[in-house]
Each structure stands twice: as structure tokens, then as C-alpha cells.
Amino acid sequence: MKRLLERIDREILAAGGKRSRSRAVVIEGFFRARDHVTIDELTRSVRESAPGIGAVTVYRTLKLLERLGYAKELDFGEGARRYESNLSPHHDHLVCRRCGTVIEFEDREIENLQVLVTRRHGFHPTAHRLEIYGFCRKCASGDSPERFR
Amino acid sequence: MKRLLERIDREILAAGGKRSRSRAVVIEGFFRARDHVTIDELTRSVRESAPGIGAVTVYRTLKLLERLGYAKELDFGEGARRYESNLSPHHDHLVCRRCGTVIEFEDREIENLQVLVTRRHGFHPTAHRLEIYGFCRKCASGDSPERFR
DNA sequence: TATTATTATGATAATGAATTTCATAATCAT
DNA sequence: ATGATTATGAAATTCATTATCATAATAATA
Ligand SMILES: [Zn+2]
Ligand SMILES: [Zn+2]
Ligand SMILES: [Zn+2]
Ligand SMILES: [Zn+2]
């Protein structure tokens, strides 16, 4: 974690940016948070230890992390975007519509078939999003959900 | 088309709704329009023949069509949603980031693999979205785009 | 260290899509 | 026709996100 933060710091400096306490707090908070957080969730969490931090700084910092390749923007159709760290390899998502649980999966076969599809249409892919919505095991079985989103 | 409009009319009546001229114009305009339209695009198009129609009515009518199963809401991450008629079988989308062209495709193999993935996680799928973003043949080859979005 | 230039912050305002409100109009059943 | 109900459209509201801007923090320079 320390190494990561230092590396990001160096990249920001190299790009003409300056160090800032607020930003450091947000970045550390982001990597500590559970993945797939909204700006609002992250802002609240970060404010517990640093109450002065404005939501705008959280917005800006996540955009910055995205530009640097450390964060990915997600949209599960909830109105607000979510962000996840971009350190682990590519994956897609199963999203529970009841409790909000997000399960990550990776399927090489699906990825390969996507490439074939684009090839058939002379299309040059740069990114894709695959989300499967429904109910997780718990919610489908009738157990009460742990939380709502 | 006439048959379709009458069928929808009957379903609206059966559900306790009433006929309305504005709504009929919007519905017909929607099915005539090229697919994947935004509310704004559809509103403009519909207003050419019926200038008085409010954008709110277009919003409401598309939500209604969606509830009745005749329209699908799409989101290509452009800020505004798009809608397509839900008469043709399920398909997914290739979206050109340069000219906005949308290519529809259907791949049974990918669909099957998705089911297997959810099964592995005890997840009960109800819907999914798969979009591949990139550049269409024309845009990738350097030809000038036909239109921007 | 003092000075200067540049970048970052955070409160507030602005934006824009989507929804809600509400008075009026249209439609349907009696 | 009458009354009840639903639909309309203008305007207001909501909400996430972005822009503005005066101030603060940081880094480079003297
Ligand atoms: Zn669940
Ligand atoms: Zn993820
Ligand atoms: Zn194109
Ligand atoms: Zn389509």
C-alpha cells in the first residue's frame, strides 16, 4: 500500500502536479475501501477521519486516478457511478438487484468470443462492459438481504 | 404497424389507461424512428409533425412502452439514455466511439457461457448487458465519419 | 528564508437528464 | 350531459456531476 501511494505520488509530480494532504487521504481511502464504491460512499468514509474534505475533491481525485490507470469507472444503472481499483486483472460483474452484492468473474472463453464477434463486423474494440443482473444465491433463496443499495 | 399500434392501444385500455392523441403520435414515431434513439432525438422528430407535444410526454410514453414490454432502455454511457423497440429478439451492441454507429449482434455461445458463469456462482440472472466499444470499420480505416454523437 | 509562480482545495453555482407537481384538458362510463 | 378518471404540458424539483473562483498549499527560485 505504501509503495503504491508513493508510486502514484511520483507519477503526479512527474505530470506537473503537486502533493496534497486531502488527495493523499482520498487515494488511501479509495484503496482501503471495499471495491465498487460510489463517490458519496467514499466521501462519507473519508470524512470520518478527515472531516474537512469536500466531495468535489473526491470527484477530482477519482478522475485523476482513472487517468493514471489506477481506477475504473463503473455504472450499474443506479444513477450514481461506482469506482473500483484497477490493480487486479480485467473482470466482469454479477450484480444482485436486491442486496447490491457484486460478484466479479472472468471468463476467457467469453472474452475470446467477443473478439471474434467484433472481427466479423470489422469492428476494432477498445473496451467492453458485461454485467449480469439478477439475484445472488442468498437473495434468490429467500434469506433476508444484508443491505440495500 | 397498424396492428401493433392497435394491440398496444388495447393493452393500455385493459390496464385502465385511456387513449390519447399525443401518446399515439409518440408511439408511432418511436416505432418509425431508427432504433437506439434518445428522448431528445425522438421529441424533435415527433414535433416535426406535432409541434405541441411536450418532452415529458415522450418520457412518460417510453416508460409506459417499457413496462408493457415494447421498448428497452439502453445506456451507452453518453449521459442520456437511448431506447429501442423490443420486437426483435435479444441482441447486444457494438458502439462506435467516433461516429456513434450501433451494430447489433447475437451470439448464442456467449449467451450460453453467461448462464454457466451465473450457475457457478449460484446467481439467478434476470437480465444482462454486453456492449463492446471501439471503432467501426469505417472509422477505424480513417474514412471520415458520417455523423457525431 | 522570502518571493513568486503554480497547482489544489472547497464552498457555491451551474448544468443537464430525468422526475414530480399541478392546473387544465381529454377521455370514458353512466 | 355529468361525473370520474386519466393524460397533458409547463414549470418546478431532484440529483449526480462539473465549472467557477477566491483562498490556501506547495514547489521552485532568488
Ligand atoms: Zn443479493
Ligand atoms: Zn469489479
Ligand atoms: Zn464509426
Ligand atoms: Zn439494439
Side-chain angles (χ1 to χ4, degrees):
Chain A
M1 168 67 92
K2 190 129 178 299
R3 298 285 269 288
L4 174 61
L5 300 182
E6 285 168 0
R7 184 148 72 96
I8 294 175
D9 227 39
R10 279 197 303 277
E11 286 187 29
I12 290 173
L13 286 175
K18 294 178 177 178
R19 259 176 276 266
S20 110
R21 181 77 199 121
S22 296
R23 190 157 57 193
V25 170
V26 173
I27 293 177
E28 183 163 356
F30 172 63
F31 285 113
R32 279 194 199 290
R34 79 178 155 75
D35 250 351
H36 318 117
V37 289
T38 63
I39 295 287
D40 191 59
E41 285 168 359
L42 183 55
T43 302
R44 285 171 201 280
S45 130
V46 144
R47 273 182 174 160
E48 285 177 15
S49 53
I53 292 184
V56 183
T57 296
V58 183
Y59 272 100
R60 279 191 286 232
T61 302
L62 286 191
K63 286 288 182 198
L64 174 64
L65 287 178
E66 200 195 13
R67 278 200 303 280
L68 296 177
Y70 291 102
K72 285 198 75 157
E73 203 175 73
L74 305 171
D75 179 359
F76 297 155
E78 304 163 294
R81 296 170 193 156
R82 291 183 180 274
Y83 291 85
E84 68 180 356
S85 77
N86 196 21
L87 303 173
S88 47
H90 170 75
H91 58 262
D92 293 298
H93 299 98
L94 307 180
V95 183
C96 179
R97 283 211 156 117
R98 180 137 183 252
C99 72
T101 294
V102 176
I103 301 168
E104 305 188 332
F105 72 91
E106 204 252 343
D107 190 306
R108 286 313 312 164
E109 189 66 23
I110 292 181
E111 304 281 328
N112 291 338
L113 287 170
Q114 286 183 36
V115 172
L116 295 186
V117 165
T118 59
R119 221 168 259 166
R120 278 204 293 281
H121 291 87
F123 192 91
H124 293 232
T126 57
H128 72 262
R129 51 180 296 181
L130 169 57
E131 288 132 30
I132 304 177
Y133 298 94
F135 300 98
C136 70
R137 195 195 310 270
K138 233 189 245 176
C139 290
S141 71
D143 282 15
S144 69
E146 290 167 334
R147 63 192 154 81
F148 285 93
R149 266 190 193 165
Chain B
M1 169 69 93
K2 190 129 179 298
R3 300 286 271 286
L4 173 62
L5 300 182
E6 285 168 0
R7 184 147 73 96
I8 294 175
D9 227 38
R10 279 197 303 276
E11 287 188 31
I12 290 174
L13 286 176
K18 293 178 179 177
R19 258 177 274 266
S20 110
R21 181 78 200 119
S22 295
R23 190 157 58 193
V25 170
V26 174
I27 294 177
E28 183 163 355
F30 172 63
F31 285 113
R32 279 194 200 289
R34 78 181 156 73
D35 249 351
H36 319 116
V37 289
T38 63
I39 294 286
D40 190 59
E41 285 168 358
L42 183 56
T43 301
R44 285 170 199 282
S45 130
V46 144
R47 274 182 173 158
E48 285 176 16
S49 54
I53 292 186
V56 184
T57 296
V58 183
Y59 272 100
R60 281 192 283 232
T61 302
L62 286 191
K63 285 289 182 197
L64 173 64
L65 287 178
E66 200 195 11
R67 278 200 303 281
L68 295 177
Y70 291 102
K72 284 197 74 157
E73 203 175 73
L74 304 171
D75 179 359
F76 296 155
E78 304 163 293
R81 297 169 194 157
R82 291 183 179 273
Y83 291 84
E84 68 180 354
S85 77
N86 196 19
L87 302 174
S88 46
H90 170 76
H91 58 262
D92 293 300
H93 298 99
L94 308 179
V95 183
C96 179
R97 283 209 156 119
R98 181 137 184 252
C99 71
T101 294
V102 176
I103 301 168
E104 305 188 333
F105 71 92
E106 205 250 344
D107 191 305
R108 286 312 312 163
E109 190 65 25
I110 292 181
E111 304 281 327
N112 291 339
L113 287 169
Q114 286 183 37
V115 173
L116 295 185
V117 165
T118 59
R119 221 168 257 165
R120 278 204 291 281
H121 291 88
F123 192 90
H124 293 233
T126 57
H128 73 262
R129 51 180 295 181
L130 169 56
E131 287 132 31
I132 304 178
Y133 298 93
F135 299 98
C136 71
R137 194 194 311 268
K138 231 189 244 177
C139 290
S141 71
D143 283 14
S144 69
E146 289 168 335
R147 63 190 154 84
F148 284 92
R149 270 193 191 163

